[in-house]
Amino acid sequence: QQQVKQSPQSLIVQKGGISIINCAYENTAFDYFPWYQQFPGKGPALLIAIRPDVSEKKEGRFTISFNKSAKQFSLHIMDSQPGDSATYFCAASKGTGANNLFFGTGTRLTVIP
Amino acid sequence: NAGVTQTPKFQVLKTGQSMTLQCAQDMNHNSMYWYRQDPGMGLRLIYYSASEGTTDKGEVPNGYNVSRLNKREFSLRLESAAPSQTSVYFCASRTGVGNTIYFGEGSWLTVV
């Protein structure tokens, strides 16, 4: 059973456009929601993370929007660039133990020039 | 600063063969993890070690064993490889504070 559901599976965006990736979860005990970015042939790397006490977190062109009542969170990439082409994973966990970090199935983003 | 280093990068095994994936981290992290990544499945936890001397099963431990050799090293062993274990394996580590996990670059394993 997938603890975190991620969509879309793949996404193609024009350079300069906005990329939006969505995730949903069921377990209300989750209290940490990170996004990881993975380039081909590399391991995932933490991009940005949010806790449920805020509805939005922004770091440069990357923004997480969090809707606690709907149990959904999303990643927005503003002014998307070809260098943003990668696979993005959302994840969720409860407590501080990373043994309980559940990942979404990933979104392959392609930004075309 | 190498971070998390995995070896080998690529490996082809025959069904029934055994092998060990090696992992080392130089960040003085307490916790270490092994994940597998399969198309459409995301990352799934195989085993983890919260601290030196302890190991615990994750979501998909069947067919694997692990050893936390010391604080730096955490190995994953396949005793009798099966085609279902064809995957990309990632080792990761985490500091004792916060939830950021640092991943290695992956080991591509094919079992034929």
Side-chain angles (χ1 to χ4, degrees):
Chain A
Q1 180 181 350
Q2 197 71 30
Q3 297 272 353
V4 179
K5 296 182 180 179
Q6 183 173 347
S7 64
Q9 190 172 23
S10 62
L11 182 62
I12 300 174
V13 173
Q14 290 272 1
K15 178 183 176 181
I18 302 173
S19 304
I20 301 174
I21 304 170
N22 300 300
C23 285
Y25 64 98
E26 286 298 324
N27 191 339
T28 55
F30 287 149
D31 60 1
Y32 176 70
F33 302 90
W35 285 89
Y36 279 79
Q37 180 187 54
Q38 184 181 28
F39 292 106
K42 301 294 183 181
L46 180 66
L47 183 63
I48 186 173
I50 196 169
R51 294 198 179 271
D53 53 341
V54 297
S55 61
E56 185 176 283
K57 184 174 181 179
K58 184 176 181 179
E59 290 184 2
R61 296 183 294 107
F62 300 90
T63 299
I64 299 179
S65 296
F66 185 79
N67 186 330
K68 190 173 182 178
S69 60
K71 293 184 286 186
Q72 295 175 348
F73 58 111
S74 60
L75 177 69
H76 297 236
I77 306 174
M78 312 300 288
D79 186 26
S80 298
Q81 299 296 312
D84 297 331
S85 297
T87 299
Y88 293 82
F89 292 94
C90 62
S93 72
K94 53 185 176 181
T96 56
N99 50 296
N100 49 18
L101 186 63
F102 297 97
F103 285 87
T105 51
T107 297
R108 179 175 289 183
L109 171 65
T110 303
V111 181
I112 53 178
Chain B
N1 189 347
V4 179
T5 303
Q6 297 179 226
T7 56
K9 183 84 169 179
F10 300 97
Q11 184 72 48
V12 179
L13 283 178
K14 293 183 179 179
T15 297
Q17 285 185 321
S18 62
M19 78 156 298
T20 300
L21 299 176
Q22 307 286 353
C23 175
Q25 52 91 8
D26 61 4
M27 296 176 281
N28 201 35
H29 287 172
N30 289 320
S31 303
M32 297 186 73
Y33 308 84
W34 277 105
Y35 289 87
R36 60 178 289 173
Q37 183 177 26
D38 302 290
M41 302 289 288
L43 290 140
R44 294 181 293 170
L45 183 64
I46 304 171
Y47 269 93
Y48 68 98
S49 170
S51 61
E52 185 179 354
T54 68
T55 61
D56 285 284
K57 296 178 180 179
E59 185 183 353
V60 288
N62 291 344
Y64 305 95
N65 285 302
V66 290
S67 295
R68 183 74 183 268
L69 304 172
N70 47 56
K71 191 171 185 179
R72 290 186 64 248
E73 299 173 289
F74 189 39
S75 63
L76 179 71
R77 183 162 178 84
L78 287 70
E79 292 290 352
S80 179
S84 62
Q85 294 177 304
T86 294
S87 187
V88 183
Y89 292 85
F90 288 97
C91 179
S93 69
R94 181 179 73 94
T95 104
V97 177
N99 290 60
T100 303
I101 301 176
Y102 298 87
F103 286 87
E105 295 205 334
S107 296
W108 274 253
L109 176 65
T110 301
V111 183
V112 297

